[in-house]
Amino acid sequence: MSISAQEFQRRRRELMEQMEPNSIAILPAAPERTRNRDVEHPYRQDSDFWYLSGFPEPEAVMVLLPGREHGEFVLFCRERDRAMEIWNGYRAGPEGAVANYQADDAFPINDIDDILPGLIEGRNRVYYDIGRDDDFDRQLMSWVNAIRERVRTGAQPPGEFVALSHLLHDMRLFKSKEEQAVMRRAASISAGAHVRAMQSVRPGMHEYQLEAEYLHEFMRHGARSPAYPSIVGGGANGCILHYVENSDQLKEGDLVLVDAGCELDCYASDITRTFPVSGTFSAEQRALYEVVLKAQLAAIDVTHPDHHWNYPHEEAVRVLTEGLLELGLLKGDPAELVETEAYRRFYMHRTGHWLGLDVHDVGDYRIGGAWRQLEPGMVLTVEPGLYVAPDDDTVEARWRGIGIRIEDDVLVTADGCEVLTHEVPKTVEDIEALMREARA
């Protein structure tokens, strides 16, 4: 476990210190999901549940009870079962939940109907995210309603439900030193995969074959899965923002846009690089690429605590617009083009998102209607791009079908930022040199 037991304890303590007196927090584990018939998707724990416990199994419920005399962290989980463990692997069981995951109390999940209502009764407030799991919503409300039905006998149902995510997601936005170390390692593994792909790509390969180079590099360094479906778009496919078919053949003279990152210990990395299949950029590809790179460097340069969340996006938009003007793809006054969002023909997404346990991680982007100030410990992506649609007959044919995005993972520090994914080349000269050396 890369995150220490002390770190999980610290998180639970920090959350409970923010909860109102005489309250309870309830979090169900992620359910298992069927892929088809009797085949299930690989299990991945709910990010909030994992953040507070590190417990990796399904069919579990975590309960936090600040101030409870007999222990504040209660875990319901599957019992040990020799027959089931032969088929599906070992389980922690209630004993393991206490010994290995620091639960103060642990009970079989099959006993939850008998035990959890008693823990809820008498509590003034329940912290729980209604709407994320319909089945558990109904189960929880059945327990609360059962308590309400006994009011005349002195039972005390909770009087208020509060979204747990309101507290928890703000905590998750700020990465601890241990989290930063895991994310730095995930970034390094993913960086190595992008380098491997630049060295391996050849005209005639299929996009899925290039994708396989990434998966191989992820797994051989201990990252068992990508953090999201990899995007490997050759030629005009690079203009499709969420292209995941990855089925076409890579052609001589085309660029390939690859958006791929591994997940390590549940933490995501997220990198995009665009490079020439043949090893050399054409004049038009290079011109557009230089504009995107200049925009990305400008956005990274203003990613620090002196600025708010939207500042890097504003810088990227300014530089992209100026570059499109210089290349003749836009015409007019730069300020007016930004104001009217004329650039959105070629740049239709934003410049980044929070990154952490989820690829598009939790955390508010605005507070009180204003853009949130960047603070040390936040991790975000910086990913401007330009995409000239293959059927855009308003531009010269030489520009059509070129899609470019450059994305890095960036940690905000006390005096600026750290680019976690710095090990991947991104200048034209460095990319071409790497690819030339691999072909020598």
Side-chain angles (χ1 to χ4, degrees), residues 10 12 66 151 220 225-226 249 262 287 298 310 321 425:
R10 180 194 64 76
R12 292 191 295 270
V151 168
R220 82 185 191 95
S225 67
Q249 197 168 35
C262 73
N310 205 47
T321 301

Side-chain angles (χ1 to χ4, degrees), residues 56 78 171 175 368 405 419:
R78 302 174 303 184
M171 288 173 54
K175 276 58 180 183
R405 182 163 65 252
V419 179

